[in-house]
Amino acid sequence: WLHLQSLGTARLTMSLLIACLPLGLATAPRAPPSPLAMATMAPPLARVAMSASAVNLDAAAVDAAAAAAVLPPTPKTNAVSRKVFGITFALLTALVVTGIYPLVISATIYSKLFDNERRRANDYVVQWWARTTLTLFGAKVALEGQENLPPPGEAVMYVPNHCSFLDIFSLSGFLPRRFKYISKIEILRIPLVGWAMGFAKHIALARTDRKSQLKTLKEAVETLKAGNSLVTFPEGTRSKDGVLGSFKKGPFTMAARAGVRIVPISVVGTHVFGTGALPIAIPRGVRIIVHPPLDAPVAKQEDESMAAARAAVLSGLPAAMRPAEA
């Protein structure tokens, strides 16, 4: 109860701080609502078959989807407001993760004793932490296509686009499934936050180390076979401008070896609120679009699955996030 009171006090303090800022330090206006049946979710486009011919999506349908999709309005900020929002978010993150650390430790002990392969209790704590932090910060994240999610007990490979650190907070807090990340090793070394991810058995990757890459591939296949879903960003790095990059084969090779389905996800709008280490405004209007699952990739034929997944992700993105060749 005292912990909840402290969180409420933190939120009140943040609200008063924001209210006292000059008018020029406005937060981002709310994005206009978009219907779930918008063109980005059209079944004929999203249900990409696992064949070479199905990868050649109807260009007019993709154009219609992109025209219907919208980015959140660009927030009006200045140097002071960006710093204030960034510091506020950092303090909230630290406050929440510190407050829940007894749960992190308890979940880790329980999981080691009774659920060492999956660490599901840790997954719930991570989700609660991410969602609480964004909620206290005033963020608004909409989930679309929830009916396309696989059954809770099925291990799958989720492949979203990646253009902001807010992608991880948004997916962790608002995607109603338990999963692990393949994350660069530097993140797992961050005190408290990185430690908690390590306790939950998220997988570390040193991108410049070939030996680490092979170890990551082996661990990913093992965790998928153990019943854990994975989130892997197939672009391999964060887009600096929100535009979708090319996909790498790694996640699809993992899925092929483990025999699990691919679930493409379009994350829309997070980059508007910051592509660096901290947000520049309160993220409102962010959308997570879940596309229908694709069949498990066929070994040695992962390129077809990769192209189909990228086409599905692309179909949910607005024009400003689509590369020139699309």
Side-chain angles (χ1 to χ4, degrees), residues 279-314:
I280 62 172
I282 297 175
R284 292 173 175 158
V286 172
R287 296 163 54 225
I288 299 172
I289 304 170
V290 182
H291 301 283
L294 306 175
D295 291 339
V298 178
K300 307 299 183 182
Q301 299 180 29
E302 294 92 344
D303 285 345
E304 292 183 11
S305 178
M306 182 172 65
R310 189 174 185 273
V313 171
L314 185 67

Side-chain angles (χ1 to χ4, degrees), residues 132-155:
T132 299
T133 300
L134 286 181
T135 299
L136 291 176
F137 193 53
K140 302 295 182 183
V141 179
L143 176 66
E144 302 176 19
Q146 186 167 347
E147 69 280 1
N148 294 322
L149 286 170
E154 180 184 353

Side-chain angles (χ1 to χ4, degrees), residues 14 18 28 44 50-51 56 111 116 130 132 154 158 169 197 200 250 263 267 295 297 313 319 321:
M14 182 190 72
I18 294 171
M50 294 296 300
S51 64
N56 298 320
S111 295
N116 193 44
T132 299
E154 180 184 353
Y158 295 103
F169 275 86
M197 293 179 69
V263 180
V267 181
D295 291 339
V313 171
M321 296 180 68

Side-chain angles (χ1 to χ4, degrees), residues 93 144 156 276 320:
T93 301
E144 302 176 19
V156 299

